[in-house]
């Protein structure tokens, strides 16, 4: 069970909890690299102007200043776009990184990035002030083929499937589909419609219809059609016929339908049961231009989205060059917190160590280090006891630490190893002995 952090919103893990987090991080790295994504790391600090260039809420941004800063400097920093602040996501720093390093990157550039971010919002389950994100993106120079939208969804489905988490669904929509549909029914304020539709799960269809009519001037028929689109959810490409059955036509709508159909069609083949065409999804109104994704754990809807993102045709600009991209971001800390709080997975032991080399006496320490070196050379995590206490105490120490094996060497140089769980003790050679495969490394077991 995860502990309550002493400083709200800044989680810390016990050693066995950290092993679960490391398993999640290592799994994501492995899957991302198998698909050819290169790891980058950007600085934790950006200028305020850079962080707020997309109109983000500045009250959520943590400013950076010296403790000894005088009052005049502090007042100037509050309105200074050159003042420094901690990044609140990884996309804004990545956009800067692409612009500054465009001459050194090969496009399309495939990147993954796993780092801490900081966001000054009210802490609650699934939301922290300091948390780890894992992002993958593909960025082009001038253009980016739509096939990458399909690939990104499949990579994320594979990565999440490899984690010790409950079943999940990638809920996918397409901004072109939604905007084309709204224009086709005569609602030109597409961003306003999307904002209203985004509230559907929170306030219900009746209140959303009232918003569409009172704030956007929609007729009863326009509100009905907008809500009819938002209620379409399919696990296959049948959503295409359902949309067309609504009798709306627009060039942008057809383009979005085709793109979403390609994503869902590929997912049905390569990630069956993991992807859902959900035409209610509306996110990043001033950001995303095509595919949009939100991911939920089945049966854990109150946790919110654990992975989100989509296509942005202008991630960054440099002169007359535009860098379009598509990417998704996994909330690692949100996932790990849920895994621990619900006891969905646990480490097989609390330390990496598989063997403790016991001491006969203080003079045997050097020999014990030789044994440990031979074991470590073959990838066996090994500690040497610090004191030559009675063997019973050394065994209890290993047991308390969660170390499964204790190594003994007598005065004649004979070696034995004891499995302290079963009590079995056998002869062993430090040059060839290995623990059973299941004990060599810490394993993450699921409930």
């Amino acid at each position: 069970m995860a502990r309550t952090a002493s400083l709200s919103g800044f989680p810390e893990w016990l050693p066995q909890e950290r092993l679960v987090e490391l398993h999640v991080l290592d799994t994501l790295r492995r899957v991302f690299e198998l698909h050819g994504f290169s790891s980058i790391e950007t600085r934790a600090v950006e200028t305020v102007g850079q962080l707020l260039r997309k109109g983000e809420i500045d009250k959520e941004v943590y400013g950076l200043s010296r403790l000894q800063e005088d009052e005049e400097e502090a007042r100037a920093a509050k309105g200074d776009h050159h003042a420094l602040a901690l990044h609140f996501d990884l996309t804004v720093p990545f956009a800067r990184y692409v612009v500054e390093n465009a001459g050194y990157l090969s496009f399309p550039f495939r990147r993954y990035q796993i780092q801490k971010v900081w966001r000054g919002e009210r802490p609650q389950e699934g939301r922290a002030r300091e948390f780890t994100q894992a992002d993958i993106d593909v960025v082009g120079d001038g253009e980016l083929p739509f096939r990458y939208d399909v690939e990104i969804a499949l990579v994320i489905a594979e990565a999440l499937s490899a984690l010790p988490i409950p079943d999940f669904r990638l809920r996918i929509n397409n901004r072109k589909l939604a905007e084309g549909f709204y224009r086709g029914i005569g609602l030109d304020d597409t961003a306003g419609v999307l904002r209203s539709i985004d509230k559907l799960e929170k306030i219900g269809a009746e209140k959303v219809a009232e918003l569409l009519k009172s704030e956007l001037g929609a007729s009863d028929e326009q509100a009905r059609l907008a809500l009819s689109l938002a209620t379409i959810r399919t696990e296959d490409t049948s959503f295409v016929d359902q949309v067309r059955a609504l009798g709306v036509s627009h060039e942008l709508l057809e383009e979005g339908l085709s793109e979403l159909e390609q994503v869902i069609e590929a997912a049905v083949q390569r990630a069956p049961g993991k992807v859902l065409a959900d035409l209610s999804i509306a996110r990043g109104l001033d950001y995303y231009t095509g595919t949009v994704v939100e991911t939920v754990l089945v049966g854990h809807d109150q946790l919110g989205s654990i992975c989100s993102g989509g296509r942005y045709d202008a991630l960054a600009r440099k002169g007359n060059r535009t860098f379009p991209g598509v990417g998704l971001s996994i909330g690692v800390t949100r996932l790990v917190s849920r895994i621990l709080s619900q006891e969905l997975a646990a480490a097989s032991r609390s330390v990496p160590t598989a063997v403790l080399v016991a001491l006969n006496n203080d003079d045997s320490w050097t020999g014990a280090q030789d044994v440990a070196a031979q074991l470590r050379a073959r990838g066996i995590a090994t500690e040497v006891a610090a004191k030559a206490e009675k063997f019973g105490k050394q065994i209890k120490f290993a047991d308390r630490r969660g170390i499964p094996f204790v190594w003994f060497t007598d005065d004649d140089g004979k070696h034995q190893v004891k499995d302290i769980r079963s009590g079995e003790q056998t002869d062993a050679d430090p040059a060839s002995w290995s623990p059973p495969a299941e004990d060599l490394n810490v394993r993450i077991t699921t409930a």
Side-chain angles (χ1 to χ4, degrees):
M1 180 67 71
R3 294 173 301 127
T4 301
S6 59
L7 186 58
S8 179
F10 296 87
E12 294 178 331
W13 310 125
L14 293 170
Q16 59 268 37
E17 296 170 337
R18 172 63 172 161
L19 287 168
V20 173
E21 183 184 42
L22 287 174
H23 172 76
V24 170
L25 295 173
D26 290 343
T27 300
L28 294 176
R29 288 191 190 99
R30 176 179 56 80
V31 174
F32 295 162
E33 291 181 1
L34 282 173
H35 286 268
F37 289 84
S38 299
S39 176
I40 70 164
E41 182 170 293
T42 57
R43 64 200 185 207
V45 175
E46 300 286 343
T47 64
V48 169
Q50 178 70 23
L51 289 175
L52 302 184
R53 68 188 181 90
K54 288 285 186 181
E56 281 76 12
I57 303 173
D58 57 4
K59 70 179 182 180
E60 292 186 357
V61 176
Y62 281 112
L64 197 69
S65 62
R66 295 180 297 113
L67 288 176
Q68 296 299 319
E69 188 175 54
D70 60 38
E71 291 184 11
E72 184 176 345
E73 286 179 308
R75 285 195 301 270
K78 287 184 179 179
D80 183 4
H81 274 213
H82 296 289
L84 301 180
L86 294 172
H87 61 220
F88 59 84
D89 77 352
L90 299 180
T91 302
V92 172
F94 179 52
R96 173 194 55 77
Y97 178 94
V98 169
V99 169
E100 293 182 357
N101 295 285
Y104 303 95
L105 303 176
S106 296
F107 294 95
F109 176 50
R110 303 162 70 90
R111 149 273 199 184
Y112 81 86
Q113 187 173 353
I114 302 176
Q115 277 185 247
K116 295 273 191 182
V117 299
W118 296 267
R119 192 172 298 172
E121 55 186 2
R122 185 172 64 86
Q124 53 187 296
E125 185 179 14
R127 291 186 180 274
R129 296 173 180 176
E130 178 185 69
F131 53 98
T132 299
Q133 286 188 184
D135 288 19
I136 59 169
D137 290 83
V138 182
V139 178
D141 185 355
E143 64 175 6
L144 185 69
F146 180 74
R147 286 281 175 83
Y148 288 113
D149 293 49
V150 181
E151 182 181 359
I152 285 284
L154 296 178
V155 172
I156 287 294
E158 181 179 330
L160 293 176
S161 295
L163 298 179
I165 59 176
D167 197 13
F168 62 88
R169 292 292 182 274
L170 272 70
R171 302 166 64 192
I172 306 180
N173 197 3
N174 188 287
R175 181 60 52 78
K176 296 175 187 176
L177 187 163
E179 292 188 4
F181 186 91
Y182 302 146
R183 290 175 184 171
I185 62 174
L187 295 176
D188 293 328
D189 184 0
T190 57
V193 179
L194 284 166
R195 276 193 292 271
S196 297
I197 294 297
D198 196 34
K199 300 173 183 177
L200 186 59
E201 291 186 355
K202 292 182 179 179
I203 66 175
E206 186 175 337
K207 289 185 178 179
V208 169
E210 289 302 318
L211 285 176
L212 291 172
K213 290 185 283 188
S214 63
E215 297 184 1
L216 301 172
S219 67
D220 288 340
E221 179 63 8
Q222 287 172 324
R224 183 189 70 79
L225 285 169
L227 285 167
S228 294
L229 181 75
T231 57
I232 295 175
R233 293 176 177 82
T234 69
E235 293 186 352
D236 54 25
T237 58
S238 61
F239 70 90
V240 176
D241 291 335
Q242 293 185 37
V243 173
R244 292 200 171 122
L246 296 175
V248 178
S249 61
H250 192 280
E251 182 180 357
L252 191 60
L253 167 61
E254 290 302 319
E255 187 177 344
L257 270 176
S258 174
E259 290 184 352
L260 184 56
E261 183 178 27
Q262 290 179 60
V263 176
I264 301 302
E265 187 173 45
V268 168
Q269 294 178 7
R270 300 187 179 276
K274 300 300 183 185
V275 173
L276 179 72
D278 186 338
L279 305 196
S280 70
I281 297 299
R283 58 173 294 106
L285 302 180
D286 58 350
Y287 205 75
Y288 297 110
T289 55
T291 303
V292 286
V293 180
E294 287 191 354
T295 310
V296 295
L297 296 181
V298 176
H300 299 259
D301 292 349
Q302 75 280 7
L303 187 64
S305 179
I306 60 165
C307 173
S308 59
R311 158 77 66 146
Y312 30 88
D313 286 330
L315 169 71
R317 287 189 172 90
K318 184 178 184 180
N320 61 358
R321 295 170 70 183
T322 300
F323 302 95
V326 60
L328 290 170
S329 175
I330 297 174
V332 174
T333 301
R334 179 174 291 191
L335 270 180
V336 171
S337 296
R338 179 51 60 109
I339 291 170
L340 296 174
S341 67
Q342 300 292 309
E343 299 181 353
L344 300 173
S348 59
R349 57 180 186 259
S350 58
V351 294
T353 311
V355 179
L356 174 72
V357 181
L359 298 180
N360 289 347
N361 50 61
D362 288 335
D363 293 336
S364 64
W365 187 85
T366 299
Q369 289 290 350
D370 292 338
V371 170
Q374 290 183 77
L375 295 174
R376 292 177 191 136
R378 291 183 292 105
I380 304 169
T382 307
E383 294 181 27
V384 174
K387 295 190 296 183
E389 299 179 300
K390 292 181 179 180
F391 285 149
K393 285 191 174 182
Q394 295 185 64
I395 292 171
K396 284 184 179 179
F397 172 80
D399 186 42
R400 192 166 60 248
R401 295 262 290 143
I403 301 171
F405 296 96
V406 177
W407 191 280
F408 302 99
T409 304
D410 65 21
D411 294 335
D412 297 325
K414 181 182 178 181
H415 301 283
Q416 289 193 321
V417 65
K418 183 184 184 72
D419 183 336
I420 63 173
R421 298 162 300 183
S422 66
E424 181 181 3
Q425 186 165 325
T426 59
D427 294 340
D429 182 347
S432 60
W433 178 87
S434 287
E438 63 269 21
D439 291 321
L440 181 59
N441 298 303
V442 176
R443 291 174 296 109
I444 303 302
T445 57
T446 55

